[in-house]
Amino acid sequence: MMDFLNKTAFSLSATQVITWGQIVYALLFLVIAWFLSRLMAYLVVKKLLSSLRISADSRAVIQRVLFFVLLILVLLTVLTYLGIPLATFAFISGAVAIGFGFGAKNIIENFLSGWILMSERPIRINDVVEINGLIGRIMTVGHRSTLIKRNDGADIVVPNSQVLESRLVNWTLHDPYIRTSVRVGVAYGSDVQKVRSVLLAVMSEHEWVQKEPEPVVVFEDFADSALLFDVFFWVSMDSGREMRLIRSDVRFLIEQKFKDAGIVVAFPQRDVHVNFTNPQQLAGLSERSHD
């Protein structure tokens, strides 16, 4: 084994050779240093920065940058140990870059997109986003992909390039508040001012509805079978409750309040008018009704 490790693997010059032992030791050092760099970056972010008021996405950026800085130092240390100057790679860097670029185009594109996402911060960890009709919460922004957890618990892995290029809606970019609405129809003849008062009372009683901005009741339309009202209100996404469940609770409360106030929720109705132009048809219908 010692004879093998002392054998020359390749020569850099007439006086500088690289043995198999140096290569083995360098690889072992790289593997150990890789895991130690990840551990050190994690511990620095967790221990030193956890006491500071730094957001989760900022901590992720610091951890990633620290890991790559440590990794570069490790590579420079290995090259120094092997006695390989950086100028040695100058003549092959162009060919390697072209070949690597064509062979790993998508990987490089997603990697660079991840850094752009973390630097520009159009999305952050724990943001609620909508992409391609899917609504979920950002869990991590990795080197290659972004992990989104949907409301039903499913984890969606989206390549960073798609996140950057697609039409993404970030519901909580600047603040956690979003506006939603519930529509209800009441029967014709209802007291519209009473309907408005009941809807506002429901909004003031519901625990998830924000008091600021104030809820707004809009008399939307005179529909075929109902007077339509829309109530717009704001909800905090930090509540941890799904939006459709909040709207469901509001509808339950509206139905109960309308019942107590004697307001009838409208249902489809049709008035049928029969016009007999022939008197004989009317007489025949009357005779059949008597039979």
Side-chain angles (χ1 to χ4, degrees):
M1 179 63 68
M2 294 302 298
D3 293 338
F4 171 76
L5 294 178
N6 292 327
K7 287 184 179 180
T8 300
F10 58 90
S11 300
L12 296 177
S13 64
T15 59
Q16 187 178 4
V17 296
I18 304 297
T19 64
W20 287 109
Q22 289 177 300
I23 294 177
V24 172
Y25 296 148
L27 291 177
L28 289 175
F29 179 75
L30 279 176
V31 173
I32 296 174
W34 174 281
F35 289 104
L36 290 178
S37 298
R38 293 182 66 91
L39 179 61
M40 186 177 297
Y42 170 77
L43 292 177
V44 168
V45 171
K46 183 178 180 180
K47 300 296 183 181
L48 299 182
L49 300 180
S50 58
S51 58
L52 302 177
R53 294 184 178 180
I54 301 178
S55 60
D57 54 316
S58 297
R59 289 198 297 267
V61 172
I62 295 174
Q63 180 176 342
R64 183 180 299 182
V65 171
L66 182 59
F67 168 70
F68 277 100
V69 169
L70 293 174
L71 194 60
I72 292 174
L73 294 177
V74 168
L75 293 176
L76 293 176
T77 303
V78 171
L79 292 178
T80 303
Y81 166 72
L82 295 176
I84 301 176
L86 295 178
T88 306
F89 299 96
F91 70 98
I92 61 172
S93 59
V96 171
I98 294 175
F100 188 75
F102 279 108
K105 176 179 177 297
N106 292 333
I107 296 177
I108 296 175
E109 183 179 4
N110 291 322
F111 179 80
L112 296 178
S113 298
W115 280 100
I116 294 174
L117 289 173
M118 297 300 288
S119 60
E120 294 186 355
R121 300 176 65 186
I123 59 174
R124 300 163 301 182
I125 297 175
N126 292 326
D127 277 352
V128 178
V129 299
E130 179 179 354
I131 179 172
N132 298 329
L134 302 176
I135 299 179
R137 189 177 295 273
I138 299 293
M139 304 305 296
T140 59
V141 180
H143 300 300
R144 188 192 64 85
S145 60
T146 298
L147 180 63
I148 302 175
K149 180 176 284 295
R150 290 193 322 200
N151 293 333
D152 58 2
D155 293 326
I156 307 299
V157 180
V158 183
N160 289 330
S161 59
Q162 293 186 15
V163 176
L164 194 63
E165 297 172 359
S166 63
R167 187 184 297 273
L168 183 141
V169 179
N170 191 337
W171 292 97
T172 57
L173 180 59
H174 298 295
D175 57 65
Y177 304 108
I178 64 173
R179 192 185 72 170
T180 185
S181 64
V182 170
R183 171 169 290 189
V184 61
V186 299
Y188 273 89
S190 302
D191 188 343
V192 294
Q193 294 298 330
K194 187 177 182 180
V195 172
R196 181 177 183 274
S197 299
V198 171
L199 290 176
L200 291 177
V202 169
M203 295 298 102
S204 62
E205 294 182 13
H206 199 282
E207 59 178 330
W208 301 114
V209 176
Q210 298 295 312
K211 302 302 183 291
E212 292 291 338
E214 295 182 355
V216 176
V217 177
V218 177
F219 191 164
E220 182 63 30
D221 197 7
F222 294 94
D224 293 338
S225 303
L227 304 175
L228 296 182
F229 289 83
D230 286 335
V231 53
F232 296 90
F233 55 95
W234 293 80
V235 178
S236 174
M237 297 302 296
D238 291 340
S239 63
R241 191 166 176 83
E242 290 187 36
M243 191 59 56
R244 60 179 180 176
L245 295 181
I246 295 177
R247 288 195 294 263
S248 176
D249 292 342
V250 169
R251 293 187 182 100
F252 275 117
L253 193 55
I254 288 176
E255 197 277 337
Q256 182 62 46
K257 291 294 185 181
F258 275 8
K259 184 182 297 184
D260 296 340
I263 300 174
V264 178
V265 177
F267 54 88
Q269 302 181 45
R270 293 291 183 272
D271 293 332
V272 180
H273 300 274
V274 181
N275 184 14
F276 292 98
T277 58
N278 190 344
Q280 294 180 354
Q281 293 178 347
L282 181 61
L285 179 62
S286 176
E287 292 176 359
R288 286 195 295 272
S289 63
H290 287 301
D291 293 339

